[in-house]
Amino acid sequence: MAASPEPEPEGNPERAQRVRAIVAEHRDARGALLPVLHAVKEEMGYVDPAVIPVLADELNLSRADVYGVITFYEDFRQTPPGRTTVRVCRAEACQAVDAATLADHARSRLGIALGETTPDGAVTLDQVFCLGNCATGPAVEIDGRLHGRVTPERLDTLLASAPREADA
């Protein structure tokens, strides 16, 4: 008996079709799930939980396997990020030069916890466990641009220059 086809993500057949196309591009890669998830995140900004059944079906994996990988790696967020993404390094080298204080300052200034987005959708605050900038910590990445020796005051300056309004 043939398996029933997986349902489309709720109300978004175009997204399901695009995810299938991404899978097709990476299907022959060894351990294709990670390259597929990176490509989905790159194109869509996040991995919508609604596409998990599509990914599982296309890669012949269980939904639990796909979900487990998405939730294991912090890079695969399940909600849309803010217009600006701030990532504070919390690895040992940065912690040794007071990254914890910097992270506390960022949380306080933005009024959100790590892993959250401001209510206006302007900024997402995340933590990472190495940005590869160990010699000049504490390190912060803002919209993919790396900054070293970031103090709370410098973070305020960087955040003030980040776009806060949606592109019209």
Side-chain angles (χ1 to χ4, degrees):
M1 182 187 318
S4 61
E6 286 294 329
E8 301 297 321
E10 292 181 30
N12 203 330
E14 296 84 17
R15 178 170 287 166
Q17 199 56 32
R18 184 58 200 136
V19 168
R20 285 188 180 92
I22 290 170
V23 170
E25 293 168 14
H26 299 282
R27 186 180 309 281
D28 295 331
R30 185 174 173 170
L33 180 57
L34 283 174
V36 166
L37 290 173
H38 280 290
V40 168
K41 181 190 131 201
E42 182 68 27
E43 183 168 317
M44 299 177 184
Y46 70 109
V47 181
D48 185 341
V51 303
I52 290 174
V54 175
L55 291 167
D57 184 54
E58 290 292 318
L59 293 168
N60 197 28
L61 298 168
S62 73
R63 292 178 189 188
D65 286 337
V66 175
Y67 180 78
V69 171
I70 292 169
T71 57
F72 180 79
Y73 293 102
E74 290 191 25
D75 274 353
F76 303 127
R77 61 181 317 102
Q78 296 180 67
T79 57
R83 292 180 296 282
T84 296
T85 301
V86 177
R87 300 181 346 143
V88 179
C89 182
R90 300 294 301 271
E92 289 81 2
C94 286
Q95 287 294 93
V97 290
D98 220 9
T101 298
L102 187 62
D104 289 343
H105 177 78
R107 286 193 300 258
S108 175
R109 181 174 190 289
L110 296 169
I112 56 174
L114 294 168
E116 293 183 347
T117 300
T118 56
D120 63 357
V123 180
T124 295
L125 178 62
D126 285 325
Q127 66 181 347
V128 294
F129 292 95
C130 193
L131 288 169
N133 202 32
C134 302
T136 60
V140 172
E141 183 186 84
I142 299 177
D143 289 338
R145 185 163 182 221
L146 187 59
H147 303 274
R149 295 186 177 96
V150 178
T151 63
E153 296 77 19
R154 183 158 179 239
L155 181 61
D156 288 345
T157 300
L158 292 167
L159 289 173
S161 66
R164 298 283 296 181
E165 299 299 321
D167 293 331

